[in-house]
C-alpha cells in the first residue's frame, strides 16, 4: 500500500491540461488541478472562490494558504493506495516544501516532476485561441482543436467561453509570474533529481509518449 505522485509543471499554455487528460486515461492517475478546483469554487460561489477570483483575474498567484487548504482537503479524502497527478501545483517553493512535509508524514512519494517546455510565442497562440466549456470544462482551440459548431462544446453542448485570464495582457502577466515564482521550484526539484524536461512544442502525442516512457522505465521499482 503506497501513495505516489507526479507533478506537471509548465507555463500557462504549455499543454499541462491536455497531457494530464492523456496520462489520467492511460495510467489511472487521480488528477488534482488547482486551477480547475479554484474555478469550480468560483462557480459555486464559495468563500475560497471569491478570495481566489480577484487574484486569478489579474493573473496573480492565489495565496499559498488558500491553495494548500484545498489541496490538503482533497488529499485527505484519498485512499492509502493511489497515484496522484498534480497539475498547476505546487507553483511556489513554499507549496513544494509543504507538500514534501505532508508526504513525509504519510510515507507518500513524489516520483517525477515533468516540466513541459514551450517557447513563449507558442504559449501565446495556444492561450489566446483557447475556448473552454462552461459546463464540463472541456478545452478547445479556435484553430488547432475547433469544435464542430462554433461556440458549442462537442461533448455536452455547453457554451464555450474565453477564460478572463486568457486575454493577452493577463497571459503576459501570468508568464512573468510563472518565471518569478517557479524558477526556484525548478531548481529545487532539479537538486532532488526528479525533474524531467519534456519538449511540449511538438505534437501532443510525441510529448505524451516521452512522459509514458519515463513512467514505464521506472514502473517496476518506483511507481
Ligand atoms: P491554471 O488553470 O493552472 O493556469 O491556473 C489559473 C490560475 O489559478 C493561476 O493563474 C493562479 O491565479 C491560480 N492558481 C492555480 N494553481 C495555483 C497554485 N498552485 N498556486 C497559486 N495560484 C494558483
Amino acid at each position: 500500500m503506497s501513495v505516489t505522485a507526479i507533478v506537471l509543471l509548465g507555463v500557462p499554455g504549455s499543454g499541462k491540461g491536455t497531457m494530464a487528460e492523456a496520462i489520467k486515461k492511460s495510467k489511472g492517475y487521480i488528477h488534482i488541478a488547482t486551477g480547475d478546483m479554484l474555478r469550480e469554487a468560483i462557480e459555486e460561489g464559495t468563500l475560497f472562490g471569491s478570495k481566489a477570483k480577484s487574484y486569478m483575474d489579474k493573473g496573480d498567484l492565489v495565496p499559498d494558504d488558500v491553495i494548500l487548504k484545498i489541496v490538503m482537503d482533497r488529499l485527505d479524502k484519498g485512499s492509502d493506495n493511489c497515484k496522484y497527478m498534480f497539475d498547476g501545483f505546487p507553483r511556489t517553493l513554499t507549496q513544494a516544501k509543504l507538500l514534501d512535509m505532508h508526504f513525509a508524514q504519510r510515507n507518500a512519494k513524489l516520483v517525477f516532476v515533468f516540466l513541459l517546455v514551450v517557447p513563449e510565442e507558442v504559449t501565446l497562440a495556444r492561450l489566446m485561441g483557447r475556448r473552454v466549456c462552461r459546463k464540463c470544462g472541456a478545452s478547445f482551440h479556435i484553430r488547432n482543436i475547433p469544435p464542430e459548431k462554433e461556440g458549442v462544446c462537442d461533448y455536452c453542448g455547453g457554451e464555450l467561453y474565453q477564460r478572463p485570464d486568457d486575454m493577452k495582457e493577463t497571459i503576459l502577466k501570468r508568464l512573468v509570474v510563472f518565471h518569478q515564482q517557479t524558477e526556484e521550484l525548478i531548481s529545487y526539484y532539479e537538486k532532488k533529481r526528479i525533474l524531467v524536461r519534456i519538449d511540449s512544442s511538438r505534437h501532443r502525442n510525441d510529448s505524451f509518449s516521452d512522459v509514458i516512457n519515463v513512467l514505464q522505465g521506472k514502473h517496476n521499482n518506483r511507481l
Side-chain angles (χ1 to χ4, degrees):
M1 300 286 261
S2 66
V3 171
T4 59
I6 59 172
V7 168
L8 298 183
L9 207 61
V11 290
S14 57
K16 293 189 302 288
T18 313
M19 176 69 81
E21 271 309 304
I23 298 175
K24 187 168 85 177
K25 272 192 196 131
S26 77
K27 293 274 159 200
Y29 279 81
I30 297 169
H31 183 197
I32 299 190
T34 42
D36 289 348
M37 289 161 95
L38 292 169
R39 280 183 289 277
E40 272 163 31
I42 293 172
E43 283 285 308
E44 287 163 9
T46 67
L47 197 62
F48 275 137
S50 58
K51 196 167 173 197
K53 189 173 184 333
S54 56
Y55 294 93
M56 292 171 76
D57 284 351
K58 282 187 287 180
D60 287 324
L61 288 188
V62 172
D64 287 335
D65 60 332
V66 176
I67 295 293
L68 288 159
K69 170 92 178 91
I70 59 169
V71 173
M72 296 311 157
D73 282 355
R74 178 66 192 76
L75 292 179
D76 286 342
K77 286 186 197 143
S79 74
D80 289 342
N81 189 22
C82 47
K83 299 189 289 187
Y84 290 111
M85 170 174 45
F86 295 109
D87 164 2
F89 172 87
R91 286 271 230 287
T92 64
L93 195 54
T94 307
Q95 293 177 14
K97 288 186 172 167
L98 286 166
L99 178 67
D100 280 352
M101 273 167 57
H102 182 87
F103 269 18
Q105 283 159 9
R106 283 159 185 77
N107 221 6
K109 192 166 173 66
L110 183 56
V111 278
F112 291 115
V113 175
F114 292 100
L115 175 63
L116 307 189
V117 184
V118 271
E120 191 165 310
E121 61 274 16
V122 176
T123 298
L124 268 173
R126 281 183 183 170
L127 290 181
M128 287 171 63
R130 175 160 71 178
R131 298 293 180 272
V132 181
C133 175
R134 228 177 252 292
K135 220 162 129 191
C136 74
S139 199
F140 296 85
H141 188 279
I142 49 173
R143 267 193 307 279
N144 306 345
I145 322 169
E148 272 176 27
K149 189 170 166 210
E150 198 186 321
V152 180
C153 176
D154 288 352
Y155 306 106
C156 73
E159 179 205 354
L160 300 184
Y161 79 112
Q162 184 172 29
R163 277 172 41 180
D165 58 349
D166 278 347
M167 308 294 175
K168 188 168 181 185
E169 289 312 305
T170 318
I171 294 170
L172 292 174
K173 170 85 180 287
R174 287 163 69 203
L175 292 176
V176 170
V177 168
F178 177 88
H179 291 298
Q180 274 169 355
Q181 302 277 352
T182 319
E183 291 301 332
E184 52 182 1
L185 198 57
I186 293 170
S187 28
Y188 178 71
Y189 287 131
E190 229 161 14
K191 281 189 199 119
K192 286 177 171 278
R193 305 180 69 83
I194 53 173
L195 189 87
V196 181
R197 282 188 168 75
I198 301 288
D199 173 1
S200 188
S201 61
R202 298 166 300 162
H203 190 277
R204 70 185 85 160
N205 292 348
D206 297 327
S207 28
F208 174 62
S209 67
D210 281 3
V211 169
I212 293 300
N213 284 342
V214 173
L215 290 175
Q216 283 174 345
K218 300 285 174 181
H219 192 267
N220 290 336
N221 50 356
R222 291 183 69 184
L223 282 182

